[in-house]
Amino acid sequence: DTEVTQTPKHLVMGMTNKKSLKCEQHMGHRAMYWYKQKAKKPPELMFVYSYEKLSINESVPSRFSPECPNSSLLNLHLHALQPEDSALYLCASSPWGGASSSDTQYFGPGTRLTVL
Amino acid sequence: AQSVAQPEDQVNVAEGNPLTVKCTYSVSGNPYLFWYVQYPNRGLQFLLKYITGDNLVKGSYGFEAEFNKSQTSFHLKKPSALVSDSALYFCAVREQGGADGLTFGKGTHLIIQP
C-alpha cells in the first residue's frame, strides 16, 4: 500500500483565519515532506521531517508552520496567509529520507488552498 | 545547486507511436533521477527512478528512461503511446549525499492524439 492521505481536499480561508492541513501515511515511512505547487508550476519543497528532525526551506515564510505529532502524521498550520499562498499543497513520504537516501517519495492527492 | 530542465512545454504524439519526453539535469556530484506523472487536480504518481547501475530503467505503465551521464540527460520513453498517457510529466533530481527533498523540472504536457 503506497497511500498518502491528505485532508481536506479543498480549503478556502480568509487572510485572518487559522487553519491546518493534515497528512497521514501508514506505510511505516520515516520521512515526510510538504511541497507547494502553484498553477502550471512544478512542486517546490517547503519542509522535510526525517530522523525526527525538521528541515525548513529558508524561503518559506513563518506564516506556515509544520508539526509532526508522530511518525505517521505531518500537519501544516496556516496563519495570516496571503492570496499569493493559494496553491496545491502536496504531502509526500519516503521510507527513510536523509542525505544518502535514494528513496522514492510517494505523494498524496494534495489540498487545494484558496486564500481570499 | 541542483537543477532540472525540461525543454519542451508540450509534446504531441499520435496514439500508437513512440514517445519521448526530454530531461537534462545539473548536480555537483552523482544524481538520483525520478519521473513522476500528474493528472489534472491530482497528486504526483511515481513512474521510475535511476539510482545506479544499468542506464536503462524500466518503470510503471510501460515507461522507461535512459540515463546518459555524458549528456546529463534522463529522457522518458514509451514504445507505443496510449491516449490515457496524456498528462503532465515531471522530471526530478536529488544529489547523492545532498539535501533531502526533490528538485523538479517545470513539467511537460504530453498530449496523445487518437
Side-chain angles (χ1 to χ4, degrees):
Chain A
D1 185 4
T2 56
E3 188 176 71
V4 176
T5 59
Q6 291 186 242
T7 53
K9 289 186 179 177
H10 302 275
L11 178 63
V12 179
M13 60 186 290
M15 289 189 284
T16 58
N17 292 157
K18 286 185 182 181
K19 297 285 185 183
S20 296
L21 309 184
K22 180 179 169 183
C23 174
E24 192 166 11
Q25 55 88 12
H26 293 288
M27 297 177 278
H29 288 178
R30 304 298 296 271
M32 296 183 76
Y33 311 80
W34 278 112
Y35 289 83
K36 174 183 178 181
Q37 186 180 22
K38 299 278 284 182
K40 302 184 190 301
K41 297 287 187 183
E44 294 179 346
L45 183 67
M46 300 176 74
F47 304 103
V48 179
Y49 190 85
S50 69
Y51 292 94
E52 301 181 352
K53 203 171 149 188
L54 179 67
S55 300
I56 299 171
N57 182 332
E58 292 177 355
S59 66
V60 176
S62 60
R63 54 187 183 265
F64 295 91
S65 58
E67 178 204 12
C68 195
N70 59 57
S71 60
S72 64
L73 269 175
L74 185 64
N75 299 322
L76 185 63
H77 300 301
L78 315 172
H79 173 56
L81 294 194
Q82 303 297 309
E84 60 264 28
D85 297 321
S86 298
L88 181 67
Y89 288 84
L90 294 164
C91 176
S93 71
S94 69
W96 294 105
S100 300
S101 169
S102 60
D103 285 353
T104 297
Q105 291 183 24
Y106 296 95
F107 285 79
T111 293
R112 176 74 60 187
L113 174 67
T114 303
V115 182
L116 301 177
Chain B
Q2 56 196 34
S3 65
V4 177
Q6 293 181 242
E8 303 151 318
D9 289 335
Q10 184 170 304
V11 171
N12 295 285
V13 178
E15 187 177 23
N17 282 3
L19 69 87
T20 300
V21 183
K22 295 180 181 176
C23 170
T24 59
Y25 67 91
S26 174
V27 296
S28 302
N30 293 317
Y32 297 132
L33 292 156
F34 302 80
W35 276 102
Y36 285 86
V37 59
Q38 187 175 35
Y39 294 95
N41 298 311
R42 302 289 298 276
L44 278 69
Q45 295 178 29
F46 169 70
L47 285 178
L48 51 80
K49 69 181 178 183
Y50 171 81
I51 303 172
T52 188
D54 194 349
N55 290 341
L56 184 63
V57 178
K58 293 189 184 295
S60 306
Y61 313 117
F63 284 94
E64 58 188 31
E66 186 163 11
F67 173 66
N68 187 316
K69 188 170 184 177
S70 62
Q71 296 185 7
T72 62
S73 68
F74 189 55
H75 301 331
L76 181 70
K77 300 183 180 187
K78 187 173 182 182
S80 178
L82 300 173
V83 172
S84 57
D85 293 330
S86 299
L88 182 59
Y89 289 79
F90 288 102
C91 182
V93 68
R94 62 167 300 194
E95 184 179 348
Q96 294 182 29
D100 208 343
L102 295 171
T103 297
F104 287 86
K106 65 178 181 178
T108 298
H109 279 101
L110 178 62
I111 298 175
I112 309 301
Q113 294 151 334

